[in-house]
Amino acid sequence: MSEIQYGGVAAHTDRPLLRSMWRGFLCRCPNCGEGKLFGAFLKSVPSCSVCAEEFHHHRADDLPAYLVIMIVGHVVVAGFMGVEMTSGLGIWQHLAIWIPLTIIASVALLQPVKGAVIGLQWALRMHGFGGEKDVLESHPEL
Ligand SMILES: [Zn+2]
């Protein structure tokens, strides 16, 4: 693990945040970028098959779903408003366009966004990714 000191504060340089999140978004191991991050839809593997980095202690929880709602909501609402202002489509035509688009985009983005969240947690050494026990592992009563 390499560190750079900034006024007595150590910053880890071996886990670049954006690279880790991008590798996770591509559903690849944030450490090596080669191994698969998911064994099934939304089910992360316990460890990387290439570099053996462990992923069982990630805690993505509901964050990927919140982020997908935010992303898809902004795109769909902006798209709807743009089409509504420039065309004369009826309400059923809008529903036929925007409801399937919302469902498809949400399902398509959920796993890559979860991978990016796991990459973020790995890069920031959260929840046991830094080698120490997570607070929930050391205090199961919480
Ligand atoms: Zn790996």
Side-chain angles (χ1 to χ4, degrees):
M1 176 173 14
S2 59
E3 295 181 7
I4 296 176
Q5 293 287 328
Y6 294 102
V9 176
H12 302 289
T13 58
D14 58 338
R15 295 185 182 186
L17 180 62
L18 292 180
R19 186 190 73 188
S20 303
M21 291 179 69
W22 178 245
R23 286 177 174 176
F25 188 83
L26 296 176
C27 301
R28 296 285 172 195
C29 168
N31 185 38
C32 67
E34 298 295 325
K36 290 184 177 180
L37 188 53
F38 295 97
F41 184 66
L42 296 177
K43 179 78 175 161
S44 62
V45 293
S47 62
C48 178
S49 62
V50 176
C51 70
E53 182 70 33
E54 294 181 343
F55 300 115
H56 61 83
H57 32 49
H58 84 81
R59 296 191 53 79
D61 297 334
D62 293 339
L63 181 59
Y66 287 120
L67 294 175
V68 167
I69 289 169
M70 186 181 74
I71 295 166
V72 173
H74 279 87
V75 170
V76 168
V77 169
F80 163 74
M81 292 174 70
V83 171
E84 173 68 14
M85 288 174 34
T86 58
S87 72
L89 293 180
I91 187 71
W92 289 109
Q93 291 167 315
H94 278 293
L95 291 174
I97 293 169
W98 301 111
I99 288 177
L101 185 67
T102 301
I103 293 170
I104 291 168
S106 299
V107 171
L109 272 177
L110 199 50
Q111 185 163 287
V113 169
K114 181 175 181 178
V117 169
I118 293 173
L120 172 109
Q121 293 179 348
W122 179 82
L124 298 179
R125 302 174 191 277
M126 299 167 69
H127 309 300
F129 279 124
E132 75 287 348
K133 281 189 175 261
D134 189 23
V135 67
L136 291 178
E137 290 176 316
S138 58
H139 300 290
E141 69 277 8
L142 297 176

